[in-house]
Amino acid sequence: MKTFLAFIVFASALAAGDWSAPSEVFHDDKRLITYRARWNGAYVIVEVAVDPGWHTFAMDNKIRHEEKLKGKPSLGVEKDTTIAVSAGLETEGKWLQTAPQDFSKPELRWFTYGFEGKAHFAAKAKKTGDGPAQVHLKAQACAKEICKNIDVTMAVPLTPDTNPFDAAALQPVR
């Protein structure tokens, strides 16, 4: 039985490719969001899985917010998602992201853009060391009446994976 369970765990790890270990974020005892990252030889890819009832924000949320306000005052803006890589990876060029959803309430002059469910961020990246690389992500996730600041670091293996990735499905961050 132990051998069978070990095989199941090993097979699951192989099926997952070279993703980092999942970084789960909790509020009290309820998970609200999970992140994981990988490098496929060309791109560093960050996947976000947002649990029901929560949402998180685009990398260019503040820019989109300011464009809509056109200089008018606002009650505030949610934090952008920021991602930095180090220790063996270096990004080349702009970040890409899943097309954000519009969560705005124009009647309140409140403009915000982000994600529910699953979303991806990616940037071309080259290997600069032996790794594992570090992917450091800061973000904010919100539910109806609460927001949670997020600060996670993921260790990313620097062995290119063979999982398909379609960068054309993402859009450039402004």
Side-chain angles (χ1 to χ4, degrees):
M1 184 65 168
K2 287 182 183 178
T3 304
F4 179 72
L5 289 174
F7 175 76
I8 296 292
V9 169
F10 179 72
S12 296
L14 285 178
D18 288 315
W19 286 102
S20 66
S23 291
E24 296 180 310
V25 179
F26 290 82
H27 175 68
D28 295 331
D29 61 349
K30 183 175 171 33
R31 186 183 67 198
L32 57 117
I33 201 163
T34 304
Y35 297 96
R36 63 183 187 159
R38 69 183 172 105
W39 179 62
N40 73 353
Y43 288 88
V44 59
I45 304 154
V46 177
E47 180 182 81
V48 55
V50 184
D51 285 32
W54 290 86
H55 57 274
T56 191
F57 302 98
M59 291 182 85
D60 51 11
N61 187 55
K62 185 176 179 184
I63 290 170
R64 291 169 183 265
H65 169 84
E66 290 171 352
E67 286 173 354
K68 289 289 188 175
L69 282 173
K70 299 177 183 171
K72 294 179 183 173
S74 172
L75 296 175
V77 62
E78 287 78 10
K79 294 181 181 178
D80 290 348
T81 296
T82 61
I83 304 170
V85 299
S86 62
L89 275 181
E90 183 178 300
T91 57
E92 300 177 312
K94 294 190 78 155
W95 280 91
L96 306 169
Q97 65 187 353
T98 299
Q101 297 173 325
D102 187 345
F103 301 130
S104 300
K105 295 182 181 173
E107 67 279 6
L108 300 176
R109 284 195 306 234
W110 180 70
F111 298 96
T112 192
Y113 306 85
F115 313 101
E116 294 176 325
K118 198 169 272 193
H120 292 92
F121 302 100
K124 285 194 174 208
K126 68 178 179 181
K127 184 176 176 178
T128 59
D130 295 330
Q134 300 293 307
V135 173
H136 185 199
L137 182 140
K138 288 187 175 186
Q140 186 178 43
C142 296
K144 283 185 181 178
E145 296 183 15
I146 189 161
C147 289
K148 170 102 174 158
N149 288 328
I150 297 167
D151 188 345
V152 297
T153 301
M154 296 165 278
V156 178
L158 289 180
T159 50
D161 67 36
T162 57
N163 294 324
F165 173 70
D166 183 11
L170 305 180
Q171 63 178 222
V173 172
R174 295 183 190 174

